[in-house]
Amino acid sequence: MSASQLKTDSKYDDYDFPTTSPNAQSGHPGHTNPEQDAQVYQLRTQLEQAGYSERLDTLTMLRFLRARKFNVSLAKQMFIDCEKWRKSFGVDDLVRNFDYTEKPKVFEYYPQYYHKIDKDGRPVYIEQLGGIDLTAMYKVTTAERMLQNLVVEYEKLADPRLPACSRKSGQLLETSCTIFDLKGVGLSKVSSVYGYVKQASAISQNYYPERLGKMYLINAPWGFSGVFSVIKGFLDPVTVQKIHVLGTGYQSELLAQVPKENLPKLFGGTCDCEGSCALSDAGPWQDPQWTKTPRWAESKPGASTNIENEPSSTISAYEPQGARAPSSETRNLVAGAGAGAGAGAGAGAGAGA
């Protein structure tokens, strides 16, 4: 399918960055057919009738539709569950006001950070799981604040990170390149971190769909590839193509995707940011040439969706209900298979497939 201009809605779409995806697959912005355009309209109309008026832009509608294989009913339920969670979790207030002052101490055990871009222009997201020590971490933070930080970073991925990267690359970028470093991950650490991992995975796959571009699992321990080869049989083939399981000899493949000057020295690159790469937040989103004030920073505090027709069921802040995404949690794969043979659950997309 040849690229075409995104069919926009003047009421909701006011983009100041490119809106044609380099991904030419059907259903991606600039690569939709008339039926998919009609499904966007149908989904938006149904949500308006249910009392929603925020986050109904075309790019968001397409992400939720892709996550549910363009089943409008399932996409609608996913969006409603997401909005209910956003309200209960206080997302709009968090992104404006959350201050993760303990980040440097937490990162001594569990670094999670965005750092520059890959060769496709996408933000690179890195997690190092081998040093996780929840007992020590909970002396300086709480599981709730860790999840709040995770959510704030997802919000900042959507704006300003991805728009800045899109402006720099000249094409729409909606996903990240994720690196999970499994060095030091073992069974002894799996059981202690599983509760947090499960909650973090539920948030990412249910409320931030279609955010994974590529994923590299590096320093994968012995036996991990065998576990993944079994699990990937249950995954969406599109998701499987995005995941690369690598051992200790990962550098050549990783450097084929991430420029050496953008990759921290720790992983074979040449980047050595002042004060540490993990705390630098370096990337186009810090460059005045490409970044702009995030829309959430311009919005009036306290704005919330007016839901006239709320479903009667209660949606937990951490345990989403309803139809699940085609893939399940990569972090659960990491936790479950970290010891090699592992007793893992599923795999999937760190920030949504």
Side-chain angles (χ1 to χ4, degrees):
M1 179 185 294
S2 60
S4 60
Q5 188 172 357
L6 180 73
K7 187 174 182 180
T8 57
D9 184 298
S10 59
K11 183 177 179 181
Y12 297 106
D13 298 337
D14 181 22
Y15 304 120
D16 56 6
F17 51 84
T19 56
T20 298
S21 173
N23 188 338
Q25 290 182 317
S26 177
H28 287 260
H31 308 280
T32 54
N33 58 42
E35 181 181 3
Q36 291 166 337
D37 292 336
Q39 288 165 323
V40 169
Y41 177 80
Q42 184 182 358
L43 174 60
R44 180 185 286 124
T45 300
Q46 290 184 14
L47 290 170
E48 286 179 325
Q49 291 171 348
Y52 294 91
S53 60
E54 296 182 44
R55 289 174 282 278
L56 299 184
D57 64 283
T58 301
L59 295 180
T60 299
M61 295 294 93
L62 282 171
R63 285 196 301 109
F64 277 84
L65 283 166
R66 290 199 304 274
R68 291 295 181 260
K69 304 300 185 186
F70 277 84
N71 182 310
V72 174
S73 178
L74 293 181
K76 176 185 175 182
Q77 188 59 54
M78 185 185 193
F79 184 92
I80 290 174
D81 288 348
C82 178
E83 289 297 304
K84 290 172 74 72
W85 166 79
R86 290 182 68 91
K87 185 175 181 179
S88 66
F89 202 79
V91 175
D92 291 342
D93 180 66
L94 278 174
V95 71
R96 295 186 183 98
N97 300 311
F98 183 73
D99 186 6
Y100 202 37
T101 55
E102 66 270 36
K103 178 190 284 190
K105 291 187 177 295
V106 173
F107 277 25
E108 291 178 11
Y109 305 99
Y110 188 14
Q112 303 166 278
Y113 57 98
Y114 289 92
H115 183 265
K116 299 189 176 181
I117 58 176
D118 69 3
K119 291 184 178 180
D120 294 318
R122 294 176 294 216
V124 174
Y125 176 70
I126 300 171
E127 284 197 17
Q128 296 168 242
L129 296 98
I132 293 177
D133 182 342
L134 288 187
T135 301
M137 290 162 64
Y138 287 167
K139 292 179 181 179
V140 298
T141 192
T142 64
E144 181 182 22
R145 283 183 60 79
M146 288 174 62
L147 289 170
Q148 288 174 338
N149 176 65
L150 181 78
V151 168
V152 168
E153 291 303 315
Y154 280 144
E155 291 294 306
K156 290 180 179 179
L157 171 65
D159 191 12
R161 291 188 179 107
L162 286 170
C165 291
S166 296
R167 294 183 196 106
K168 182 174 182 177
S169 70
Q171 56 190 3
L172 175 66
L173 297 173
E174 297 185 285
T175 61
S176 62
C177 175
T178 296
I179 301 171
F180 277 110
D181 181 13
L182 307 184
K183 185 176 182 179
V185 172
L187 189 60
S188 62
K189 294 178 180 177
V190 168
S191 58
S192 66
V193 77
Y194 187 78
Y196 167 80
V197 162
K198 183 179 180 182
Q199 292 178 349
S201 300
I203 287 173
S204 65
Q205 78 162 8
N206 287 279
Y207 305 137
Y208 296 96
E210 294 288 306
R211 289 304 192 198
L212 178 67
K214 286 183 180 289
M215 174 178 288
Y216 295 88
L217 303 171
I218 65 172
N219 289 312
W222 180 86
F224 189 94
S225 294
V227 174
F228 181 69
S229 66
V230 173
I231 292 173
K232 70 181 183 182
F234 301 97
L235 301 180
D236 187 305
V238 175
T239 299
V240 172
Q241 291 177 0
K242 299 176 180 179
I243 302 174
H244 306 264
V245 180
L246 309 175
T248 55
Y250 62 84
Q251 292 186 1
S252 60
E253 188 166 344
L254 188 59
L255 287 169
Q257 183 64 36
V258 182
K260 198 166 189 175
E261 63 272 18
N262 289 354
L263 190 66
K265 280 186 175 181
L266 175 66
F267 304 114
T270 59
C271 189
D272 187 18
C273 295
E274 183 177 356
S276 87
C277 291
L279 296 172
S280 70
D281 195 27
W285 49 91
Q286 299 288 0
D287 188 338
Q289 182 179 0
W290 308 116
T291 196
K292 295 187 178 182
T293 302
R295 294 295 175 91
W296 49 258
E298 298 174 347
S299 302
K300 294 180 180 179
S304 60
T305 303
N306 177 26
I307 305 174
E308 297 176 356
N309 302 323
E310 285 190 358
S312 58
S313 60
T314 300
I315 306 296
S316 166
Y318 297 137
E319 297 294 337
Q321 305 298 315
R324 293 180 63 83
S327 62
S328 55
E329 305 93 339
T330 294
R331 285 188 180 87
N332 282 355
L333 169 66
V334 171

